[in-house]
Amino acid sequence: MSSPPPGTVETARFGPETAAHVRAFFGTEPTPLVPLRGSAAAWRLAGVYIKDESKRLGQQAFKVFGGAYGMACWMSKNLGVELQSCGGIEGLRKTYLEKKGGVPTTFVTCTDGNHGRAVAWAAKQLGQKAVVYMPKGSAQARVDHITGHGAECTVTEMNYDDCVKFAAEKAKQNGWVYFQDTTGPDYFEIPGWIMQGYTAMADEAIEQIKQLDEGALPTHVLLQVGVGSMAGAVLGYLVERFRQEGLPVPVAMMLEPENAACAYESAKKGDGSTVDVEGDLESMIAGLCCGVLSDIGWPILWKHVDGAFVKIADGLAGNGMRLLKSEGVEAGECGGAGVGFVRRLMLAPADDKKAAELRRGLGLGPESRVLIFNTEGATDPANYEKQLQLPDVPAAAHDFEFVLRRLPETATSEPLAEMLKVQA
Ligand SMILES: Cc1ncc(COP(=O)(O)O)c(C=O)c1O
């Protein structure tokens, strides 16, 4: 873990003011917020809300706001001008190319799909070039989305984390801008900007829930974790917003696939340091197959997750994809994972002590309103079609594991050791 410069991991960077800048920069309509009324009733919850990022700028994932906002921040800094005065995407593109004699800058990144597509889209809109590397086994459809925006894309023989290092090397060799959505040694500025781009969806979601249900606010939030940039940014936003309004910050559930559960393992270790997960990181939930946490995302999660770190079996993501399809929402693997897990938790068999313990620990019940981000649509159409044909996977003893972590200020008067309880 490398040490971020002072201020880098402060939630204030990700609050409502930042979200307002991001929303103004893009100037687009919010993505839909879909209430799952039937599921909420069946799961004995007051509300379940899906923020549907499959509809974000036609790019099927929230990542596009991060990639494009981050690239815009880099370009405006390079020009020495305030981003807010650049006239949005079109204005920035024109000014940059004018100042650079029409010569675009090359941005290089590694991706398991959505971030690379975001960078390719951003480069195209902003008049720049993108070079993208992908880990072995990446789906052809995800490659096609990237090359479809005119970017160069290569599928390597490496796992995600090695591929990230490879992209950094390529940048050095070629004088390109290394443009990653996670941190590295002395590399914090760009991932911080990308994270700021993610705050907009949280801002939209809170407004939409309030409007939909007469001022209601989420009591719980579920966030998927790959490197933890998205979860750190959204949680950072929620901490800032709810504290500014004097309200209790939603109880947070962090979700990972069981074979790439670096946040879960780090939380289980319990001293604030990170644990890397190595190997193939094999899971169909491709967007979350990361074994090394962001040095901006993790400190925010460690300090502010008042809830639980959870790892799940892939089958629960498939259940969620089918459930959302039946509600008219297109959900890829990452999106389905959140709903599939909440359903598993709320519809657990009566003798499922583990689920009961987690529900109790999180205070999940009839008063709870749960916000879940459908972070992607069918970004791998072949697997999407396959999953839709499969039957639901029944609850199993080890289809999820958790570390409960309630913060001292919100937990009951139990001793600290009890509050930071690790499930065996
Ligand atoms: C669809 C989707 N959801 C969630 C995530 C997790 O985001 P992060 O890697 O910032 O934790 C990703 C990351 O690629 C993703 O593509």
Side-chain angles (χ1 to χ4, degrees):
M1 192 167 170
S2 57
S3 293
T8 307
V9 300
E10 297 303 322
T11 51
R13 299 181 67 199
F14 304 107
E17 298 74 17
T18 301
H21 283 154
V22 178
R23 289 182 66 177
F25 173 71
F26 289 101
T28 46
E29 285 296 305
T31 56
L33 181 96
V34 182
L36 301 189
R37 303 286 191 204
S39 296
W43 304 348
R44 290 186 287 278
L45 292 168
V48 175
Y49 305 95
I50 306 297
K51 177 62 174 163
D52 186 9
E53 290 299 303
S54 74
K55 299 278 199 303
R56 182 69 69 189
L57 287 180
Q59 299 306 300
Q60 295 185 294
F62 72 98
K63 288 253 158 177
V64 65
F65 257 34
Y69 187 73
M71 194 175 288
C73 287
W74 187 94
M75 290 166 66
S76 65
K77 183 175 176 189
N78 187 271
L79 292 174
V81 293
E82 284 288 317
L83 181 56
Q84 281 97 299
S85 66
C86 286
I89 290 183
E90 205 33 54
L92 179 59
R93 165 201 170 95
K94 259 183 84 190
T95 315
Y96 190 88
L97 289 175
E98 264 167 33
K99 291 259 168 73
K100 303 287 172 185
V103 181
T105 296
T106 299
F107 294 82
V108 58
T109 195
C110 159
T111 184
D112 37 32
N114 296 316
H115 169 65
R117 183 173 177 183
V119 174
W121 183 89
K124 187 173 176 198
Q125 303 299 319
L126 289 161
Q128 310 302 312
K129 279 182 74 175
V131 175
V132 180
Y133 296 103
M134 299 186 77
K136 69 176 165 195
S138 295
Q140 187 57 41
R142 292 193 166 120
V143 176
D144 295 343
H145 286 138
I146 292 165
T147 53
H149 290 314
E152 209 180 294
C153 180
T154 309
V155 179
T156 68
E157 278 303 307
M158 291 166 246
N159 79 6
Y160 175 81
D161 299 299
D162 290 335
C163 190
V164 167
K165 290 182 202 142
F166 181 73
E169 249 338 282
K170 283 283 179 190
K172 245 191 242 156
Q173 285 165 14
N174 295 295
W176 296 336
V177 178
Y178 172 55
F179 193 80
Q180 203 56 54
D181 54 349
T182 191
T183 52
D186 297 321
Y187 184 76
F188 295 97
E189 193 170 42
I190 287 172
W193 286 329
I194 292 173
M195 286 175 68
Q196 288 181 318
Y198 300 157
T199 59
M201 67 175 173
D203 192 63
E204 291 176 9
I206 299 302
E207 294 305 321
Q208 288 167 312
I209 294 173
K210 274 175 117 170
Q211 265 176 25
L212 191 72
D213 279 345
E214 294 165 10
L217 288 166
T219 58
H220 293 72
V221 62
L222 186 138
L223 299 169
Q224 300 88 336
V225 175
V227 299
S229 290
M230 185 278 277
V234 171
L235 188 61
Y237 170 88
L238 295 173
V239 166
E240 287 296 313
R241 170 142 191 186
F242 280 67
R243 285 190 183 162
Q244 279 174 17
E245 296 185 10
L247 298 165
V249 178
V251 172
M253 291 170 264
M254 300 294 119
L255 195 77
E256 294 173 291
E258 59 192 358
N259 288 339
C262 45
Y264 167 90
E265 292 300 339
S266 304
K268 190 165 180 174
K269 187 162 174 241
D271 61 5
S273 66
T274 54
V275 175
D276 295 350
V277 173
E278 285 165 6
D280 275 351
L281 312 174
E282 189 55 45
S283 163
M284 78 161 181
I285 315 171
L288 308 185
C289 289
C290 313
V292 181
L293 288 162
S294 155
D295 289 335
I296 303 178
W298 172 251
I300 293 175
L301 300 186
W302 178 243
K303 187 164 175 197
H304 296 289
V305 168
D306 184 18
F309 293 83
V310 180
K311 62 175 184 175
I312 62 163
D314 280 10
L316 297 184
N319 289 355
M321 291 162 80
R322 288 181 288 276
L323 173 81
L324 286 178
K325 166 78 178 167
S326 74
E327 297 278 353
V329 177
E330 180 191 291
E333 298 79 359
C334 295
V339 186
F341 169 67
V342 175
R343 186 182 85 154
R344 164 72 179 86
L345 192 58
M346 301 315 295
L347 292 185
D351 61 351
D352 187 338
K353 291 202 183 100
K354 184 162 61 175
E357 189 191 348
L358 182 53
R359 285 196 305 266
R360 207 169 37 248
L362 295 170
L364 261 177
E367 307 290 312
S368 305
R369 295 178 184 275
V370 185
L371 168 60
I372 304 173
F373 291 86
N374 175 34
T375 52
E376 68 178 339
T379 52
D380 178 357
N383 190 46
Y384 183 68
E385 289 310 321
K386 179 175 154 195
Q387 292 302 318
L388 293 188
Q389 301 311 316
L390 293 175
D392 277 351
V393 178
H398 295 291
D399 57 6
F400 78 93
E401 306 291 340
F402 68 89
V403 174
L404 189 61
R405 183 161 194 274
R406 300 309 309 267
L407 296 178
E409 62 261 35
T410 48
T412 58
S413 56
E414 293 169 77
L416 192 67
E418 278 299 300
M419 294 170 201
L420 307 179
K421 206 164 159 197
V422 176
Q423 176 240 348

